[in-house]
Amino acid sequence: MGELDLLSVIPGLGLHLVRIDAQLYVKRDGLFSALGAGVSLDALLSLPLRELRDQLSRARPGKASVDGTIEAPIQSQEVWAAGVTYQRSREARAEESVSADPYDRVYTAARPELFFKATANRVRGPGQKVAIRADSTWDVPEPELAVVCNSMGEVVGYTIGNDMSSRSIEGENPLYLPQAKVYEGCCALGPSIALAWEFDPTDKAIALEIVRDGTMLFQSETSTSALRRPIPELVQYLHRHQQFKLGCILLTGTGIVPPREFTLQPADEVTIRIEGIGVLQNQVERLVPIR
């Protein structure tokens, strides 16, 4: 897929935190400012929101050009995910499963479905390859709004998430969910974090495109307005009786699911766009079984 042009995947307007060659930058309206070698995402997300905001506000974007590889906006954080938060996801999970009842009930229940998704080493950044399992026959990307939280459970910002999923494994038995969701290359994040004090996640367009051999195989769009559960509710449930000393990232569920006859293949190109955050592009590879 090649190295990505920064300004082609990150919106020109707005306030964003970007990780380029392990260095953090603040981007405001197309201008970048390096935060310095001693500033890490772990350190920032350990701060209260007020202190984090004050620290980033001292960055003064300049006119110097920035080159390098955009990396996933994650360091030591865990990635968690919410399921069945859109009507389309409810329908798709019911279609694939031997029993639709658990998905119907969780969609309307007071308690959301939350599950562990990935550690940082399983996450891929923009332009890197996401994976499908060797023992799966039905695989899809899941484009999602991702919430970046600090150690106090405060929302710092938002990024794009791709929750790669094996529908064949999860559909066989809901108890196989961890195997359907958690493996090497099972998640992609990026290209930037749209900072919460200048970004409103309400009614933002989410688009998915899948290209194979230069041909558009699938494209669809939804909106965060279709998210059934409020983001603060999902964040609050995740932080019940859990501490994330270096912050965490929460995927909020998908409202786009390709049709039943579609499955990903190696070399497919997946592009996810979320208004105000940018473009996340990844190529697909199939994992090799470990003997």
Side-chain angles (χ1 to χ4, degrees), residues 7 10-16 18 25-32:
L7 297 182
I10 302 173
L13 298 178
L15 182 64
H16 299 83
V18 189
Y25 294 81
V26 172
K27 185 205 69 66
R28 179 183 290 279
D29 298 337
L31 300 178
F32 289 82

Side-chain angles (χ1 to χ4, degrees), residues 100-179:
D101 185 57
Y103 303 112
D104 286 336
R105 285 190 289 127
V106 79
Y107 183 76
T108 57
R111 183 184 294 273
E113 178 195 13
L114 296 174
F115 56 89
F116 176 78
K117 175 61 183 177
T119 49
N121 64 296
R122 295 182 172 96
V123 174
R124 304 297 179 255
Q128 295 185 320
K129 291 184 178 181
V130 290
I132 52 179
R133 294 179 59 115
D135 57 355
S136 175
T137 58
W138 185 13
D139 304 276
V140 295
E142 296 188 4
E144 308 192 16
L145 177 72
V147 185
V148 182
C149 300
N150 67 4
S151 59
M152 289 76 186
E154 299 169 302
V155 176
V156 169
Y158 303 88
T159 190
I160 301 173
N162 182 355
D163 174 13
M164 296 287 290
S165 299
S166 166
R167 295 185 68 183
S168 59
I169 292 175
E170 183 181 1
E172 185 177 345
N173 190 317
L175 294 180
Y176 296 160
L177 178 69
Q179 296 175 74

Side-chain angles (χ1 to χ4, degrees), residues 134 288-291:
V288 177
I290 298 175
R291 299 296 183 185

Side-chain angles (χ1 to χ4, degrees), residues 15-19 24-26 35 41 44 56 192-193 195:
L15 182 64
H16 299 83
L17 187 64
V18 189
R19 198 164 179 248
L24 286 177
Y25 294 81
V26 172
L35 292 181
L41 198 58
L44 287 177
L56 296 187
S192 66
I193 298 172
L195 293 164

Side-chain angles (χ1 to χ4, degrees), residues 88-99:
R88 179 66 186 104
S89 178
R90 176 192 191 183
E91 294 166 353
R93 299 277 284 276
E95 289 169 4
E96 75 190 17
S97 179
V98 292
S99 172

